[in-house]
């Protein structure tokens, strides 16, 4: 007959061994978590750096598109019977809801065309610009007695965006050769704000 009696010392020995294993596992888990945190931090830094680089490219691309449209803006609107003669870029204004920026503004004594420029024009851009136009005279009170027209421009224009812009009474500017044209002038009823 063998003596299989478990003593209190045996139980305490098991607890000590179990506690030692738990501490080793916890230490290993903490080391692994520290490594994961370090990897996440490095990844976040890389993402931040990439975002800055992409933001810089996007900004330069937007400037390129604006500079393509600006020289032709007065001409294309004169062809539409809006005799504008002054052109400005990145015009900023404020109202009680915050600030806004108009990419290109062309004007004469009583008419203004506010132009939103995107490299890739989508419906959401058109919707946002319509909200800007609704606030325009609050943000630019010196133009409160002017007729304000809106225009959207893009190098690439989604099909639904061009239809929506036309439906909402916005001029649609797109590239044509080495300049730009108003692409929807045939079927547009320009809206006045």
């Amino acid at each position: 007959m063998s003596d299989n009696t478990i003593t209190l010392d045996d139980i305490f020995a098991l607890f000590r061994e179990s506690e030692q294993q738990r501490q080793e596992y916890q230490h290993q888990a903490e080391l692994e978590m520290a490594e994961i945190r370090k990897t996440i931090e490095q990844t976040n830094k890389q993402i931040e750096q990439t975002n800055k680089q992409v933001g810089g490219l996007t900004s330069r691309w937007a400037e390129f598109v604006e500079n393509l449209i600006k020289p032709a803006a007065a001409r294309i609107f004169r062809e539409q019977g809006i005799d504008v003669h002054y052109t400005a870029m990145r015009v900023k204004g404020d109202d009680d809801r915050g600030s806004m920026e108009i990419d290109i503004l062309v004007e004469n004594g009583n008419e203004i065309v506010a132009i939103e420029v995107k490299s890739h024009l989508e419906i959401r851009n058109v919707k946002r610009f319509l909200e800007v136009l609704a606030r325009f005279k609050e943000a630019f009170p010196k133009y409160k007695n002017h007729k304000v027209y809106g225009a959207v421009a893009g190098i690439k224009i989604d099909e639904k965006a061009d239809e929506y812009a036309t439906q909402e009474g916005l001029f649609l500017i797109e590239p044509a050769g080495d300049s730009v044209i108003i692409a929807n002038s045939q079927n547009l009823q320009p809206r006045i704000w």
Side-chain angles (χ1 to χ4, degrees):
M1 204 170 182
S2 69
D3 190 13
N4 287 338
T5 331
I6 299 176
T7 66
L8 195 54
D9 286 339
D10 293 334
I11 293 173
F12 283 136
L14 282 172
F15 280 134
R16 282 191 297 274
E17 184 180 331
S18 177
E19 177 61 18
Q20 184 179 354
Q21 286 177 349
R22 187 195 66 76
Q23 288 176 356
E24 288 173 5
Y25 289 139
Q26 183 176 351
H27 179 70
Q28 186 63 31
E30 288 171 358
L31 290 176
E32 289 174 7
M33 283 304 296
E35 191 63 34
I36 289 170
R37 282 188 198 102
K38 183 178 176 184
T39 302
I40 289 172
E41 186 177 308
Q42 289 172 342
T43 302
N44 285 341
K45 285 180 184 175
Q46 289 172 342
I47 290 171
E48 186 178 320
Q49 187 176 29
T50 301
N51 285 343
K52 284 181 184 176
Q53 291 171 343
V54 168
L57 285 174
T58 303
S59 178
R60 284 194 293 272
W61 180 246
E63 286 177 27
F64 170 78
V65 176
E66 288 171 2
N67 286 321
L68 174 68
I69 293 166
K70 183 185 178 219
R75 175 188 54 81
I76 62 175
F77 285 104
R78 274 193 230 112
E79 291 170 358
Q80 299 300 310
I82 304 170
D83 190 25
V84 291
H85 50 78
Y86 173 76
T87 306
M89 291 179 66
R90 295 191 195 96
V91 180
K92 296 180 182 176
D94 294 293
D95 65 7
D96 60 350
R97 287 176 272 177
S99 62
M100 69 171 66
E101 181 177 283
I102 304 298
D103 294 330
I104 300 173
L105 187 80
V106 290
E107 68 173 286
N108 63 26
N110 61 356
E111 295 172 298
I112 295 199
V113 183
I115 306 171
E116 175 75 1
V117 179
K118 297 291 180 195
S119 53
H120 181 183
L121 184 66
E122 300 174 285
I123 286 180
R124 65 186 171 98
N125 306 123
V126 176
K127 287 180 178 180
R128 237 179 290 156
F129 188 56
L130 288 167
E131 292 171 9
V132 167
L133 289 171
R135 297 172 40 208
F136 183 88
K137 289 185 179 182
E138 293 171 33
F140 300 95
K142 75 178 188 174
Y143 297 124
K144 68 181 177 187
N145 296 320
H146 286 64
K147 288 182 181 177
V148 178
Y149 300 95
V152 289
I155 297 294
K156 180 181 179 195
I157 301 171
D158 286 355
E159 182 179 334
K160 298 294 182 190
D162 65 357
E163 292 171 9
Y164 185 63
T166 301
Q167 172 189 324
E168 292 296 321
L170 298 173
F171 291 99
L172 179 69
I173 302 170
E174 66 180 32
D178 61 353
S179 188
V180 294
I181 60 168
I182 295 178
N184 63 348
S185 61
Q186 298 296 324
N187 53 356
L188 176 70
Q189 291 292 330
R191 183 171 164 191
I192 299 172
W193 279 264

